[in-house]
Amino acid sequence: MRRILNFIITGFILWIASNFFQPYVQIDSLGTLILATFLIWIIEAIIVGICLLLLAVAAATESWLLIIVCLGIALFIDIIAFSILSAKLPGFAVNGFWTKAVLSLCCSVLTISKPKK
């Protein structure tokens, strides 16, 4: 249920951004919005999987540089996802690094995390 709610929150953030900040965030239709939200979720999951794989390799080879690279990637997962999606999905564009950074921050702050036991 939490993941579905986070999906809706991310979509709502993108919808608000596309309506209020038209030159920076452009989404053509509701279908593009839903597809973009879904693809952002998929791209983030792939990037997290790659980071975990790289961290396993870094731990096995004791490569501190690879560990630092993985931590850097982990800090910018949303920005990387927005960049990939802006380049590949027609009808969806987020222009500028700072726009992606602010959207990433909004998504991170407003999503619901797993409750601690």
Side-chain angles (χ1 to χ4, degrees):
M1 185 65 179
R2 177 181 49 87
R3 291 183 188 197
I4 294 170
L5 193 56
N6 285 337
F7 178 82
I8 293 169
I9 290 170
T10 301
F12 190 67
I13 290 168
L14 288 175
W15 179 76
I16 287 174
S18 70
N19 283 328
F20 289 106
F21 306 106
Q22 192 71 11
Y24 301 106
V25 180
Q26 300 164 350
I27 301 173
D28 286 348
S29 66
L30 180 63
T32 304
L33 174 66
I34 293 170
L35 182 62
T37 306
F38 180 72
L39 289 176
I40 285 171
W41 184 65
I42 295 294
I43 292 170
E44 288 173 355
I46 291 170
I47 293 171
V48 167
I50 291 170
C51 278
L52 290 175
L53 183 65
L54 288 176
L55 279 175
V57 170
T61 61
E62 297 179 5
S63 171
W64 286 101
L65 180 62
L66 193 55
I67 291 172
I68 292 170
V69 168
C70 287
L71 291 176
I73 290 172
L75 290 173
F76 296 103
I77 286 176
D78 284 335
I79 296 173
I80 294 168
F82 285 129
S83 297
I84 291 171
L85 206 55
S86 291
K88 299 296 180 185
L89 183 63
F92 178 81
V94 179
N95 301 317
F97 173 80
W98 291 111
T99 307
K100 293 171 188 164
V102 169
L103 277 176
S104 172
L105 181 66
C106 289
C107 288
S108 296
V109 168
L110 295 175
T111 55
I112 299 169
S113 61
K114 192 174 189 178
K116 296 182 181 180
K117 293 182 181 181

